[in-house]
Amino acid sequence: MSKIKIPLQRKKKLDSLFEALSITGDDIYVFLCDMNYDYSRWSKALVHEFGLPSEYMEGAGAIWEEHIHPEDKKSYHDGIEDIFAHNANGHDMQYRARKVNGDYVVCTCRGIVITDESGNPEYFGGAIRNHSQESQVDTLTGLRNQYGFFESISQSIRTHTETKIGIIGVNKFAEINEVYGYRFGNRVIQHVGRFLMEHVGSRGGTYRLDGSKFAVITQIQSMKELKENYARLRSYYREGIEIDGTFITLELNAGALELRDFDTDDKTVYACLNFAYDESKLKKHGDFVAFKETRDHDDRGRIVMLHNIRNSITKDNKGFYLLYQPVVDADTEKIIGAEALLRWKSKKYGVVPPDSFIPILEGDPLFPDLGEWILKTATSDAKKILEKNPDFTLNVNLSYSQIEQPNFTDRVWDVLKETGFPADHLCLEITERCRLLDMDLLKNVIVTFRAGGVKIALDDFGTGYSSIGLVKNLPFDTIKIDRSFVQRIEEDDKERKLVSNFADAASTFGARVCVEGIETEGMRDILREYGIYSFQGYFYSKPIDIKELALME
Ligand code: C2E
Ligand code: CA
Ligand code: CA
């Protein structure tokens, strides 16, 4: 094949023909080869997706062949050879091609040869359709689905394009389905989808994620504009719409994120977005919540750090370890248990406390694996302590995404069997974030655990606005009063009253009370008056490693 460099005029012609071909749309890739010079231009999207060297290539046929599945290579090779040997005037074939991430996707490739005035082959051009993209469309709304969404995020990351991403969802959509029926629910989804698409228009992409969640991805709009658009959308649906003669109002939630660091991946970005979305839903009554990279200072690295932590989970939980904070009997001050507390450590970040990653990653599909590791490690560590101290109870924190797993209770029994730790010396702590779960499911899980001897504690009591509701509806063994309520107890008699009321409420429902955050003798003395069962706090001990715990009396 020719090695002569393509003249500028010919390149210009190639470009204009290529552009004419490209108007077919985004989901079809286009290629065009000037056969005299074996010089081609291929769609940018394909070049990125499959990791080709450049949009412009010499000898593109051979380069592309490298990406074709070994089993399909021969027929592809023969087809191209026929074209360049002038034995064929086109091809129409299907093969598997390898994307940059290593996955093979099925492609259909159609091309034709264009001849010059004297009948000699001049151009070979056509289109390649990536069939995996077809499943990126949601059939209900016609919007791209979550595969498309992940693909778009990955592309922004790959091409280092600053991007704003928002997730919008309909509140209590399950209730709409229940009250009006599934079909009506679908119409609601279609309505919101259409409204979003019309209003985002060409300033971004619109996607339907799972259930009643949608996403908008834009490079053009600022966060401020995204927020303003959401406010308009929200008031539109608040005023109400009519669908099939039924008038309904919708409440929405929204979380958003600005992607500016690219040393991350789509799944981490999604975890951060979901966190912002849940904040909007649980704490802000649907107000727009933007994911903040850090709470304290303007360091932009948070998404990157989360990416590193997330990766550790996939690498056998490398970097994670547990510390244990003793729990003491409020009267005798003897150790009656300890709470396992997670840490993550790396060379770059040092020791990272759990508050800076658990709330964000706990909704991630990977988190249950980490949760199981925590339970396994803690129970096998604590077994040794239990041998010395038969009254010892181990507390382990749970995340809502663990409880949500279909076989969660079975998994816990399996771990207990494996480590030989007795169920009735384990207490699982759950927090208010469990409100994200279906209440019947949660109740079921709690009842199953308690029937098997495992105790259940409600953690951080008082910090959310439905604490009392939870205690009323669910059978807890222990209520842990959050340390924010006891911090000023020595100076503030209102705080004292509040804690005493909390303690009364808990015992009304038959639960024992543990107070966290005891830092001084004074606090202890005051709290001893309130019928509290156990204490935990720096006054007794900070979280320590298992060896130190074993040495404590
Ligand atoms: P938490 O469950 O409320 O844990 C108690 C937190 O309060 C711990 O922080 C502990 O170090 C701190 N603390 C204890 N006593 C005192 C005190 O006297 N004064 C002060 N100022 N602080 C005290 P840590 O270890 O940073 O954990 C933070 C949160 O991270 C935990 O709050 C829990 O919600 C979550 N977490 C920790 N480990 C795990 C885990 O293994 N799984 C899950 N799902 N969540 C965890
Ligand atoms: Ca806890
Ligand atoms: Ca707590």
Side-chain angles (χ1 to χ4, degrees), residues 477-508:
D477 296 279
T478 301
I479 304 295
K480 297 185 80 170
I481 296 180
D482 191 68
R483 67 165 190 272
S484 59
F485 296 100
V486 296
Q487 260 161 12
R488 284 173 305 279
I489 203 161
E490 288 173 271
E491 307 90 63
D492 190 340
D493 62 339
K494 282 201 211 76
E495 294 256 293
R496 286 201 283 274
K497 191 97 192 90
L498 198 62
V499 172
S500 134
N501 286 342
F502 280 168
D504 283 348
S507 50
T508 309

XYZ file of all heavy atoms in Angstrom, residues 477-508:
259
model
N -32.787 -3.124 71.293
C -32.273 -3.530 72.608
C -31.627 -2.345 73.300
O -31.691 -2.214 74.509
C -31.227 -4.641 72.442
C -31.837 -5.894 71.851
O -32.447 -6.651 72.614
O -31.737 -6.078 70.613
N -30.948 -1.524 72.487
C -30.192 -0.408 73.052
C -30.405 0.852 72.223
O -30.514 0.780 70.994
C -28.673 -0.745 73.054
O -28.480 -1.934 73.824
C -27.850 0.377 73.657
N -30.468 1.981 72.932
C -30.515 3.269 72.252
C -29.230 3.986 72.625
O -28.903 4.120 73.814
C -31.703 4.121 72.781
C -33.035 3.382 72.652
C -31.737 5.484 72.085
C -33.467 3.113 71.254
N -28.495 4.439 71.614
C -27.260 5.167 71.917
C -27.504 6.662 71.713
O -27.775 7.094 70.582
C -26.119 4.678 71.013
C -25.785 3.211 71.259
C -24.581 2.764 70.467
C -23.293 3.187 71.133
N -22.113 2.545 70.474
N -27.421 7.398 72.796
C -27.666 8.839 72.703
C -26.413 9.520 72.159
O -25.299 9.319 72.659
C -28.059 9.417 74.071
C -29.403 8.783 74.497
C -28.178 10.943 74.013
C -29.931 9.244 75.824
N -26.607 10.310 71.140
C -25.479 10.912 70.430
C -24.701 11.876 71.323
O -25.271 12.555 72.178
C -25.995 11.665 69.205
C -24.867 12.080 68.305
O -24.245 11.184 67.709
O -24.577 13.294 68.230
N -23.415 11.936 71.069
C -22.575 12.743 71.954
C -22.855 14.241 71.857
O -22.524 14.990 72.768
C -21.096 12.451 71.731
C -20.551 12.870 70.415
C -19.029 12.867 70.488
N -18.490 13.497 69.307
C -18.231 12.841 68.185
N -18.457 11.558 68.088
N -17.740 13.487 67.147
N -23.502 14.657 70.784
C -23.796 16.093 70.681
C -24.746 16.568 71.782
O -24.791 17.750 72.097
C -24.382 16.398 69.298
O -25.549 15.642 69.102
N -25.494 15.635 72.379
C -26.434 16.031 73.429
C -25.811 16.115 74.808
O -26.446 16.580 75.744
C -27.620 15.057 73.467
C -28.427 15.100 72.220
C -28.261 14.145 71.239
C -29.340 16.134 72.004
C -28.982 14.204 70.068
C -30.075 16.197 70.839
C -29.897 15.229 69.865
N -24.598 15.612 74.935
C -23.995 15.625 76.272
C -22.778 16.545 76.365
O -22.252 16.765 77.457
C -23.613 14.199 76.749
C -24.858 13.341 76.888
C -22.628 13.535 75.806
N -22.399 17.107 75.219
C -21.186 17.927 75.185
C -21.192 19.053 76.222
O -20.206 19.298 76.891
C -21.012 18.538 73.794
C -20.015 17.794 72.948
C -20.181 18.097 71.466
O -20.884 19.025 71.063
N -19.533 17.298 70.645
N -22.319 19.743 76.347
C -22.388 20.893 77.252
C -23.209 20.604 78.505
O -23.701 21.517 79.155
C -22.966 22.098 76.513
C -21.971 22.752 75.560
C -22.630 23.829 74.742
N -23.789 23.294 74.039
C -23.715 22.617 72.895
N -22.545 22.429 72.309
N -24.797 22.130 72.322
N -23.329 19.353 78.814
C -24.237 18.961 79.900
C -23.826 19.541 81.265
O -24.667 19.777 82.133
C -24.338 17.417 79.937
C -25.627 16.994 80.612
C -23.138 16.764 80.579
C -26.030 15.585 80.291
N -22.525 19.814 81.386
C -22.071 20.334 82.686
C -22.480 21.788 82.893
O -22.686 22.225 84.010
C -20.553 20.188 82.810
C -20.141 18.738 83.000
C -18.643 18.538 82.951
O -18.098 18.324 81.857
O -18.026 18.614 84.018
N -22.642 22.534 81.793
C -23.005 23.958 81.938
C -24.482 24.210 81.704
O -25.017 25.221 82.134
C -22.256 24.838 80.915
C -20.761 24.707 80.871
C -20.321 23.643 79.881
O -20.586 23.808 78.670
O -19.721 22.637 80.314
N -25.117 23.319 80.999
C -26.425 23.654 80.465
C -27.507 22.741 81.029
O -27.546 21.557 80.750
C -26.332 23.502 78.928
C -27.564 24.051 78.234
O -28.607 24.182 78.890
O -27.472 24.325 77.017
N -28.416 23.319 81.824
C -29.417 22.429 82.435
C -30.493 21.997 81.444
O -31.149 20.990 81.624
C -30.023 23.035 83.708
C -30.766 24.325 83.426
O -30.485 24.947 82.379
O -31.624 24.704 84.248
N -30.643 22.762 80.348
C -31.595 22.336 79.313
C -31.119 21.030 78.671
O -31.902 20.133 78.402
C -31.720 23.414 78.236
C -32.595 24.575 78.655
C -33.093 25.320 77.416
C -33.290 26.790 77.672
N -32.024 27.572 77.719
N -29.796 20.982 78.423
C -29.224 19.753 77.861
C -29.468 18.580 78.798
O -29.785 17.482 78.356
C -27.703 19.902 77.683
C -27.310 20.922 76.665
C -26.853 20.295 75.353
O -25.800 19.655 75.364
O -27.562 20.456 74.359
N -29.326 18.870 80.089
C -29.531 17.800 81.071
C -30.965 17.273 80.985
O -31.201 16.088 80.993
C -29.246 18.308 82.483
C -27.771 18.485 82.766
C -27.489 18.476 84.244
N -27.831 19.738 84.895
C -27.015 20.797 84.965
N -25.794 20.727 84.444
N -27.392 21.896 85.561
N -31.879 18.222 80.896
C -33.295 17.853 80.824
C -33.567 17.001 79.572
O -34.270 15.994 79.633
C -34.124 19.155 80.764
C -35.588 19.004 80.935
C -36.001 19.280 82.400
C -37.446 18.848 82.665
N -37.612 17.494 83.100
N -32.974 17.450 78.468
C -33.177 16.757 77.200
C -32.690 15.310 77.284
O -33.401 14.367 76.912
C -32.411 17.509 76.105
C -32.801 17.237 74.665
C -34.243 17.640 74.414
C -31.882 18.022 73.714
N -31.488 15.137 77.807
C -30.920 13.791 77.891
C -31.754 12.932 78.830
O -32.022 11.750 78.537
C -29.444 13.843 78.354
C -28.921 12.447 78.641
C -28.601 14.508 77.285
N -32.203 13.541 79.908
C -33.006 12.758 80.833
C -34.326 12.331 80.178
O -34.800 11.210 80.366
C -33.189 13.572 82.124
O -34.503 13.559 82.553
N -34.889 13.225 79.364
C -36.107 12.853 78.630
C -35.860 11.748 77.607
O -36.658 10.834 77.471
C -36.695 14.071 77.896
C -37.374 15.019 78.855
O -37.698 14.649 79.987
N -37.569 16.257 78.429
N -34.727 11.865 76.897
C -34.367 10.811 75.935
C -34.274 9.465 76.641
O -34.776 8.451 76.161
C -32.999 11.109 75.300
C -33.050 12.118 74.184
C -31.861 12.675 73.693
C -34.248 12.504 73.606
C -31.876 13.586 72.650
C -34.276 13.422 72.562
C -33.084 13.966 72.092
N -33.603 9.487 77.802
C -33.399 8.243 78.534
C -34.744 7.660 78.975
O -34.967 6.449 78.881
C -32.492 8.481 79.740
N -35.647 8.539 79.402
C -36.983 8.072 79.794
C -37.715 7.446 78.614
O -38.312 6.383 78.737
C -37.837 9.245 80.308
C -37.444 9.627 81.726
O -36.697 8.832 82.349
O -37.861 10.703 82.190
N -37.658 8.173 77.473
C -38.353 7.687 76.280
C -37.843 6.300 75.906
O -38.632 5.393 75.650
C -38.143 8.660 75.122
N -36.515 6.147 75.909
C -35.940 4.866 75.515
C -36.412 3.753 76.442
O -36.804 2.676 75.983
C -34.421 4.953 75.520
N -36.410 4.025 77.760
C -36.798 2.940 78.658
C -38.300 2.654 78.574
O -38.723 1.526 78.797
C -36.338 3.197 80.096
O -36.718 4.483 80.481
N -39.081 3.667 78.194
C -40.511 3.421 77.963
C -40.690 2.337 76.912
O -41.601 1.522 76.984
C -41.193 4.709 77.430
O -40.857 5.771 78.294
C -42.697 4.543 77.340
